[in-house]
Amino acid sequence: MNKLQWNLQEIFTDNHSFYQAIENVKILLDDMNKYEKLNLDASLLLEVLDKKWQIKELSNNILIYGSLMYYKNINSDECIELKKVAETFNNNVDTSLKFIDRKILELGYEKILDFIVENPKLEIYKLSLDNLFRLKKHIQSDEINQEIKNNNNIINEQLGIYNNLLRDIGYGSINIDDEEVKVTASNFGKYISSRDRETRRQTYFTVNSSFQNEKDNFANLLNKIYECRIKNSALEKYNSVLEKILYEENIDPKIIDKLIESVNNNLGLIQNYLKIKSDLVNIENPHLYDFGVPLDSNLKVKFSIEEAKEIILNALKPLGDKYLEVVKILFNGHIDAELDENKHQSIIFSWHTYSFMNFKGSYIDLKNMIHEIGHIVNYYLSKKEQPFIYEDSTIFVGETASITNEILLNRYLYNNANTQEEKIFYLSKEIENYFTSVFKQTMYTEFENDLYETKTKSDLTSEILCEKYFSLIKKYYGKDINYDQIANIEWARLGHLYRWSYYPYKYATGLLIASVVIDSLVDKKTLSQEEYIKFLSAGSSQYSLDLLKIVNIDLVNTDIIESGFNVMNQDIKELQKVTGLIKK
């Protein structure tokens, strides 16, 4: 079978084609200038929108190719340049097309509705046009848009500095059996989850110390990035960055407040699990670096890429044959998982129908792969069923799609476990999925909330960042942990803080929603495979909360969140039963 490597020739055959595409789009952009002085009627509006989204799609392909080529080879000056050129060009395209939105807004909503009646071909753009008028007060003048563009360029510049800092940072060395071993981004996970406590401790301290040495540089990056994001949200007349991020998808920010409140009310659940885990691995006076040890009684869980592919296909069988056929297609040229020293070593992501990771054969690699497959199947199905304007998934659909896969993986592995040791291992992974996807991601969201609020009043210094993060982890992990002072630097290692605004909460809501999907699709059979495929194929053709109604989920109903915690509570009880650690 083919290796799991990208075939980016599906986008552009080579770099020459990439640069030629940029020149072609420039010609199309020049042609768009003629519409600035024309009065739009129903026919011209359709013509303008068709051409706009054709350009946006071409520009998107340019951005995807340039960026993916960079992540494939971060040591190549040519690939670094591709990414820079693609980002700058895409930003310029967005700015150049802004006048179309302004012309539509000048016509007024009633006139646009008349045009849609007059020319039914415009119906495809109705949701987008409805959303444009909903966002009307946030559409700004050319002068302000230029300020926003300048801020975005600063953010991209800072992210470039951040990527270089990550690439060049040394993780230090540890001593194992009287031999000095260099810790890297690629082997960090191995040593921080080592069964030998001294190895874990050394790894934790040497890596955190490396970031501690660069704390002012990391703080400076966050300070500048957050300043630009706050400026942009104000320029676009939002009250906060959070409001800006959620308003674009028509999501009430109160959902985030409810999530944080609910998780805080249920911190006892995960703290109870951490105590159980400490007992199971015989750790007294646990530190934060102790909780990466798997509950496997030294079980060696290792998968080849071919074994991973077979397990994934079996685990996803409950989603139906149509889903599995898409997975098989994407295994050929859309997943880059092979180890390569030129690749970016520390990130995992999906974009369009392409996933990126470094597969080393661990359980977490298997979990990451099936998670990312959820994203790209979602995009693939939406791309087939939706026009480009709506083919990109919304937050809740995307994370629900990927985390549903994670749950199915753990179920499959648990049900097919041959020993009690394996059952304990996979059951603990199911619980830790809630820990990492709900509790920790909500902790990061609460941290991000605090940082934006702080930045509106003062600079984000390394001292402030360390103090706030240290206080938060103590609240979430509880009083039964020994906290080393060096833990306060962990914020510097949270890549999402730099790259995106308010990203982690998507995992938290995604797992809680995915739990309901699994319950209705697999257990109660009240949701059909066809309905689930329809959900995944909807892209952004409706607002997120409306899309969830396809799978009979109303996120405004707070029972959804609480039911997710009930599942975790039952898992903990099952773990106690399997291990014999029934708490009196």
Side-chain angles (χ1 to χ4, degrees):
M1 297 180 72
N2 294 331
K3 287 187 174 183
L4 287 187
Q5 293 178 327
W6 282 333
N7 176 18
L8 298 183
Q9 289 186 341
E10 294 183 9
I11 309 175
F12 293 117
T13 55
D14 52 29
N15 293 350
H16 174 74
S17 300
F18 165 83
Y19 284 107
Q20 185 58 55
I22 290 177
E23 296 307 313
N24 293 341
V25 174
K26 286 179 180 178
I27 294 172
L28 295 174
L29 281 174
D30 288 340
D31 183 61
M32 290 297 287
N33 292 332
K34 67 186 180 185
Y35 294 103
E36 285 207 63
K37 297 181 180 180
L38 295 179
N39 294 321
L40 296 180
D41 56 21
S43 178
L44 269 181
L45 177 60
L46 178 63
E47 186 177 313
V48 167
L49 290 176
D50 283 346
K51 289 183 177 180
K52 170 189 173 179
W53 287 104
Q54 176 196 8
I55 290 172
K56 294 276 282 185
E57 183 170 12
L58 293 171
S59 178
N60 189 57
N61 287 340
I62 290 166
L63 180 61
I64 291 169
Y65 180 86
S67 299
L68 297 189
M69 287 291 288
Y70 164 77
Y71 288 110
K72 276 282 287 182
N73 192 346
I74 62 173
N75 298 311
S76 164
D77 291 339
E78 182 180 15
C79 291
I80 292 171
E81 181 66 13
L82 284 172
K83 182 173 183 288
K84 181 179 178 181
V85 168
E87 289 176 342
T88 302
F89 183 71
N90 195 68
N91 202 7
N92 290 337
V93 168
D94 286 344
T95 302
S96 298
L97 295 174
K98 288 286 187 182
F99 80 91
I100 298 172
D101 288 348
R102 291 197 299 275
K103 286 183 74 69
I104 291 171
L105 291 171
E106 288 169 2
L107 288 169
Y109 189 56
E110 294 303 319
K111 176 63 72 174
I112 295 300
L113 290 179
D114 290 341
F115 284 172
I116 294 173
V117 173
E118 182 181 340
N119 189 345
K121 289 183 179 179
L122 282 167
E123 186 68 36
I124 192 174
Y125 296 112
K126 188 175 187 303
L127 177 65
S128 175
L129 292 167
D130 285 343
N131 200 40
L132 177 62
F133 281 93
R134 186 178 68 86
L135 297 168
K136 181 177 180 179
K137 67 179 181 179
H138 305 292
I139 305 297
Q140 302 303 318
S141 65
D142 287 342
E143 182 179 354
I144 292 179
N145 282 328
Q146 186 60 47
E147 287 187 60
I148 294 170
K149 176 184 173 182
N150 292 339
N151 288 332
N152 285 334
N153 285 337
I154 292 172
I155 290 173
N156 286 332
E157 178 184 329
Q158 296 304 306
L159 288 175
I161 297 171
Y162 169 72
N163 284 327
N164 290 337
L165 184 57
L166 272 189
R167 181 192 65 193
D168 298 335
I169 196 169
Y171 277 20
S173 298
I174 59 177
N175 186 285
I176 300 178
D177 297 329
D178 295 326
E179 286 189 20
E180 186 177 287
V181 177
K182 186 177 181 180
V183 182
T184 65
S186 58
N187 66 21
F188 169 74
K190 170 186 175 181
Y191 293 126
I192 197 64
S193 60
S194 170
R195 199 155 285 281
D196 179 68
R197 193 178 196 188
E198 178 59 21
T199 298
R200 295 197 305 271
R201 190 195 68 78
Q202 286 186 58
T203 303
Y204 186 79
F205 273 86
T206 191
V207 171
N208 278 356
S209 294
S210 296
F211 280 82
Q212 183 82 19
N213 292 336
E214 299 285 351
K215 66 179 181 179
D216 289 335
N217 287 328
F218 282 110
N220 188 48
L221 286 167
L222 275 184
N223 195 59
K224 290 180 179 178
I225 290 171
Y226 277 45
E227 180 178 15
C228 287
R229 288 175 181 165
I230 291 170
K231 283 181 178 178
N232 280 353
S233 64
L235 286 170
E236 295 178 77
K237 297 184 179 179
Y238 291 101
N239 293 318
S240 66
V241 175
L242 175 62
E243 183 184 66
K244 170 181 164 60
I245 296 300
L246 298 188
Y247 194 84
E248 291 172 0
E249 287 203 47
N250 202 21
I251 297 171
D252 190 335
K254 290 180 181 178
I255 287 176
I256 304 299
D257 294 334
K258 177 60 182 175
L259 174 67
I260 292 173
E261 179 186 351
S262 295
V263 169
N264 273 264
N265 288 339
N266 286 275
L267 289 178
L269 271 178
I270 198 60
Q271 291 167 7
N272 181 34
Y273 169 68
L274 293 178
K275 285 190 286 187
I276 294 171
K277 185 171 185 178
S278 297
D279 290 340
L280 289 173
V281 293
N282 297 315
I283 295 174
E284 295 183 3
N285 302 315
H287 292 244
L288 290 177
Y289 53 75
D290 289 319
F291 295 113
V293 182
L295 291 183
D296 57 8
S297 300
N298 214 20
L299 182 70
K300 301 298 182 184
V301 182
K302 203 74 173 174
F303 310 94
S304 69
I305 283 184
E306 291 307 316
E307 288 171 335
K309 290 162 70 174
E310 183 180 357
I311 289 170
I312 286 170
L313 290 172
N314 285 326
L316 298 177
K317 281 183 179 179
L319 302 183
D321 291 339
K322 184 173 182 179
Y323 192 99
L324 293 178
E325 285 305 312
V326 175
V327 175
K328 292 173 184 176
I329 291 170
L330 296 174
F331 273 145
N332 292 298
H334 289 261
I335 301 172
D336 202 296
E338 305 287 345
L339 298 180
D340 185 338
E341 62 182 12
N342 288 318
K343 289 171 63 174
H344 199 300
Q345 297 297 310
S346 60
I347 64 173
I348 300 161
F349 68 89
S350 290
W351 192 356
H352 197 265
T353 58
Y354 297 92
S355 291
F356 180 89
M357 64 182 301
N358 289 275
F359 188 88
K360 302 180 184 71
S362 68
Y363 164 81
I364 192 65
D365 291 322
L366 179 61
K367 174 188 167 184
N368 286 336
M369 184 179 288
I370 203 168
H371 177 102
E372 299 305 327
I373 284 172
H375 283 307
I376 60 177
V377 169
N378 179 198
Y379 203 111
Y380 181 90
L381 289 169
S382 292
K383 187 174 177 61
K384 284 191 67 176
E385 297 296 327
Q386 305 298 331
F388 173 73
I389 188 174
Y390 302 128
E391 75 180 23
D392 199 2
S393 181
T394 70
I395 291 170
F396 291 111
V397 173
E399 288 310 317
T400 300
S402 58
I403 299 174
T404 292
N405 285 9
E406 288 186 27
I407 296 174
L408 288 173
L409 173 66
N410 277 340
R411 281 193 171 200
Y412 174 80
L413 293 172
Y414 182 79
N415 290 333
N416 288 275
N418 295 316
T419 66
Q420 185 186 44
E421 290 177 341
E422 288 184 61
K423 285 186 175 293
I424 292 171
F425 175 73
Y426 293 123
L427 187 56
S428 71
K429 291 301 182 184
E430 176 75 8
I431 298 169
E432 290 192 11
N433 202 16
Y434 280 90
F435 177 46
T436 58
S437 295
V438 178
F439 287 90
K440 290 188 74 172
Q441 302 305 325
T442 303
M443 181 178 77
Y444 298 151
T445 301
E446 188 171 344
F447 183 58
E448 192 171 358
N449 251 350
D450 195 1
L451 295 193
Y452 278 117
E453 183 178 346
T454 300
K455 179 55 190 168
T456 61
K457 303 169 186 174
S458 63
D459 283 341
L460 297 175
T461 64
S462 59
E463 289 76 17
I464 288 175
L465 288 161
C466 288
E467 179 184 346
K468 288 183 175 298
Y469 190 80
F470 203 40
S471 174
L472 196 61
I473 57 175
K474 286 180 178 178
K475 179 175 78 170
Y476 271 74
Y477 281 82
K479 59 182 176 58
D480 296 318
I481 310 294
N482 288 278
Y483 295 96
D484 301 292
Q485 191 65 31
I486 196 71
N488 66 13
I489 193 59
E490 286 183 16
W491 59 266
R493 291 165 41 202
L494 304 178
H496 60 83
L497 289 178
Y498 307 85
R499 297 188 180 101
W500 306 286
S501 293
Y502 288 100
Y503 194 83
Y505 86 91
K506 304 170 192 176
Y507 293 108
T509 53
L511 177 53
L512 296 171
I513 295 167
S515 297
V516 179
V517 169
I518 291 294
D519 184 55
S520 58
L521 177 66
V522 181
D523 298 333
K524 295 179 180 175
K525 309 291 186 185
T526 55
L527 179 70
S528 68
Q529 293 174 349
E530 291 74 21
E531 287 173 317
Y532 186 62
I533 293 294
K534 179 182 177 182
F535 171 66
L536 297 179
S537 304
S540 53
S541 59
Q542 301 177 53
Y543 291 121
S544 293
L545 299 186
D546 293 327
L547 287 169
L548 287 172
K549 293 176 183 177
I550 298 174
V551 287
N552 307 318
I553 291 176
D554 179 8
L555 201 61
V556 178
N557 182 351
T558 56
D559 290 343
I560 297 282
I561 295 178
E562 293 304 323
S563 66
F565 293 119
N566 290 336
V567 171
M568 182 182 177
N569 192 26
Q570 291 303 313
D571 283 345
I572 291 174
K573 289 180 179 178
E574 181 69 15
L575 178 65
Q576 291 173 314
K577 178 181 177 182
V578 172
T579 59
L581 285 173
I582 304 295
K583 299 294 180 183
K584 300 297 183 183

